[in-house]
Amino acid sequence: MTYVVTENCIRCKYTDCVEVCPVDCFHEGPNFLVIDPVECIDCSLCVAECPADAIYAADQLPPEQVHFLEINAELAQVWPVITETRLPLGEADVWVDRGEKLQYLER
Ligand code: SF4
Ligand code: SF4
C-alpha cells in the first residue's frame, strides 16, 4: 500500500508533510506534491501534518479521488524530491477546500 496526495493540495502546497517523512518520498511540482508509491513505507506520519487534509491511505481514498493514485505514481517519476518545508503558495489559504482543482494542476 501507499499514501496518496489528493486534490486539496493543488495550489496550496503547504509542505508541512515533507519534514516528517522518514524515507523522503515526497516529490515537488509547480503547485502540488506527490508521494512515490514505491518508496512510501505506510507510516502515516504525514497525514496529521497536512493542514489541507489532502493525504489518504490508498485503500481509504474517497471515490472521487481514486485517480490521484495514478497521478502520484506518474509524477513521482519526473518531479524532484522535496525534504524541507517551504513557504506555501501565495494564495494557499484562498484555494484550500475549494474543490474541483484538478484543472489547475501544473505538470
Ligand atoms: S501538507 Fe498537505 S497541502 Fe501541504 S504539501 Fe503536503 S499534502 Fe500538500
Ligand atoms: S506515509 Fe510515511 S512514508 Fe509514506 S509519504 Fe507519508 S510520511 Fe512518507
Side-chain angles (χ1 to χ4, degrees):
M1 208 191 55
T2 179
Y3 279 67
V4 181
V5 184
T6 63
E7 186 165 30
N8 211 23
C9 177
I10 296 172
R11 282 199 161 177
C12 293
K13 213 172 76 164
Y14 290 104
T15 74
D16 302 70
C17 51
V18 304
E19 295 266 354
V20 298
C21 182
V23 292
D24 297 343
C25 62
F26 282 92
H27 293 247
E28 181 183 26
N31 65 359
F32 187 52
L33 294 194
V34 293
I35 292 169
D36 183 340
V38 177
E39 300 292 330
C40 177
I41 57 170
D42 310 334
C43 71
S44 82
L45 287 175
C46 55
V47 174
E49 297 301 316
C50 178
D53 294 329
I55 305 175
Y56 291 84
D59 64 358
Q60 292 173 359
L61 280 165
E64 72 278 8
Q65 301 290 314
V66 167
H67 52 293
F68 276 92
L69 190 55
E70 196 176 316
I71 290 171
N72 277 238
E74 176 197 338
L75 296 176
Q77 302 285 318
V78 291
W79 285 349
V81 170
I82 172 174
T83 57
E84 292 180 1
T85 295
R86 304 198 181 132
L87 287 174
L89 294 178
E91 296 194 329
D93 291 344
V94 174
W95 283 94
V96 72
D97 295 331
R98 277 267 188 110
E100 305 284 322
K101 294 197 284 185
L102 182 55
Q103 59 188 310
Y104 303 115
L105 175 61
E106 295 172 30
R107 289 168 181 262

